[in-house]
Amino acid sequence: MTVRGRLAAGVLTGALAGSLTLAVPASAAPVDTTGTVVRVVDGDTVIARIKGKKHPVRIRITGLNAMELTDYRPGHRDGECHARQAARRMEELVLNKRVKITARNSGSESGKRHRLRRSLEVKKEGKWIDPAAELMKEGLALWLPNKVEYLPNATYPVLAARAAREGRGLWDTDSCGAGPSQNAVLRVTVKWRGDESVSIDNLGAKPVSLAKWWLRDSSYLGDRARGYEFPSSAVVPAGGTIVLHVGKGKNGDDHYYWKPKKRKKDDRVLDKKNDRIFDNVTGAPEHMADGAYLFDPDGDLRAAHQYAPHAPIQFP
């Protein structure tokens, strides 16, 4: 089966497949090979021996972003809440197993480390399954769309929306511990057109301090690994709103400013003239979009807005 056929069959649902153009441009050299996973680095990165390659290669799995580890040594892993769980789950699915490795374009890479950006399939109970989709179903990663390797963009946000409805994994608001203002009801809304911003509404009757809370997009386009960390002065008034603007500015009067750090080379390149973090919405075949995710100091995801038109999430 070709890369187009297998990804379409293994990733797309019937309801969405009809709206997605699967043709690979003539300029793209598709990848369709096999290998064996010899190490799981984390929930979205593996090292594999690939047919025809002399040395093992590092693969960044397309379409998802697991929480970050700070210690990657097997048996000593540490990092953000849910990071170790995602890595263990990926190990259960693919470690020391033969996998199918596919991509629309053999030149697809991720970041300055030149990890190959690929989709994987592994055999489970006699059937080929998508391990990344399994993590998305279990709420162990965020949807990370890609403009080149875009085939998962049609269904991974659907799986994320289902996990959010079921409160699985990341979408369990106290799975990392009882955090501050645990009973608060917050709502996050992204403005991705024009000047970007994120509004945080407090639907409750008590003010909520966001000191040491942090907000990120689906990738890590921010001034630090966690995206944007709110200062101790950030408080969402009862029944009120604060706004986080993307760009330069002076914090005050319930308005805060997120100045992204320019990166020389990464999964996505920020606009050289305008500070931008959130992907614009596009239609088929790319189905691009993004989201904003608000975490408390314990690492619990407390509010989110995934604005994929075919699979929106307004959480909780």
Side-chain angles (χ1 to χ4, degrees), residues 11-269:
V11 175
L12 295 177
T13 61
L16 293 171
S19 65
L20 185 62
T21 302
L22 298 176
V24 176
S27 59
V31 174
D32 191 356
T33 188
T34 60
T36 300
V37 174
V38 295
R39 181 185 169 193
V40 170
V41 178
D42 57 24
D44 53 43
T45 304
V46 302
I47 297 174
R49 294 189 181 277
I50 296 180
K51 182 180 179 181
K53 296 284 186 179
K54 185 176 180 180
H55 302 290
V57 297
R58 188 174 294 252
I59 297 175
R60 177 60 169 86
I61 303 172
T62 299
L64 79 167
N65 202 354
M67 302 304 289
E68 294 299 307
L69 289 170
T70 55
D71 188 338
Y72 292 83
R73 296 173 298 164
H76 300 274
R77 288 186 177 124
D78 197 10
E80 300 288 1
C81 183
H82 298 290
R84 286 178 294 180
Q85 186 180 0
R88 288 196 300 267
R89 184 67 177 116
M90 186 60 72
E91 279 183 337
E92 291 172 358
L93 290 166
V94 303
L95 184 59
N96 297 323
K97 295 180 181 178
R98 177 174 172 264
V99 292
K100 295 179 181 179
I101 302 165
T102 54
R104 296 183 64 254
N105 192 328
S106 59
S108 294
E109 292 185 345
S110 172
K112 59 186 178 182
R113 287 173 290 176
H114 301 289
R115 296 173 293 175
L116 299 179
R117 184 179 291 282
R118 300 291 186 262
S119 290
L120 301 182
E121 287 181 90
V122 64
K123 188 166 285 189
K124 181 180 180 181
E125 297 176 354
K127 296 181 180 180
W128 290 98
I129 66 164
D130 177 353
E134 294 301 302
L135 263 67
M136 294 301 301
K137 291 175 186 176
E138 296 169 22
L140 295 179
L142 300 175
W143 169 52
L144 177 59
N146 186 265
K147 294 178 181 178
V148 177
E149 301 302 327
Y150 56 70
L151 291 181
N153 291 355
T155 52
Y156 284 14
V158 176
L159 300 179
R162 184 182 305 160
R165 288 194 302 270
E166 296 172 354
R168 306 190 68 186
L170 284 160
W171 306 99
D172 179 350
T173 58
D174 63 358
S175 59
C176 303
S181 303
Q182 190 64 56
N183 295 323
V185 181
L186 301 173
R187 175 162 292 179
V188 168
T189 305
V190 180
K191 177 182 176 292
W192 54 268
R193 291 187 181 90
D195 294 333
E196 296 181 335
S197 64
V198 180
S199 298
I200 302 175
D201 300 314
N202 180 359
L203 305 184
K206 295 181 179 180
V208 177
S209 171
L210 296 186
K212 296 186 179 180
W213 292 48
W214 43 287
L215 185 141
R216 55 168 286 187
D217 69 322
S218 60
S219 184
Y220 275 119
L221 293 181
D223 57 359
R224 63 193 73 192
R226 284 184 162 187
Y228 177 85
E229 186 172 307
F230 286 91
S232 58
S233 60
V235 177
V236 193
T241 301
I242 68 171
V243 181
L244 177 61
H245 302 271
V246 176
K248 287 183 177 180
K250 185 177 180 180
N251 293 345
D253 297 327
D254 297 329
H255 289 265
Y256 297 84
Y257 294 84
W258 183 0
K259 174 63 177 173
K261 180 181 178 181
K262 295 293 191 294
R263 296 183 179 185
K264 294 180 180 179
K265 186 174 182 181
D266 209 318
D267 295 346
R268 295 181 289 169
V269 179

Side-chain angles (χ1 to χ4, degrees), residues 282-303:
T282 64
E286 291 90 355
H287 288 290
M288 289 295 295
D290 204 341
Y293 306 91
L294 178 66
F295 292 82
D296 70 19
D298 290 334
D300 278 313
L301 178 58
R302 300 289 295 277

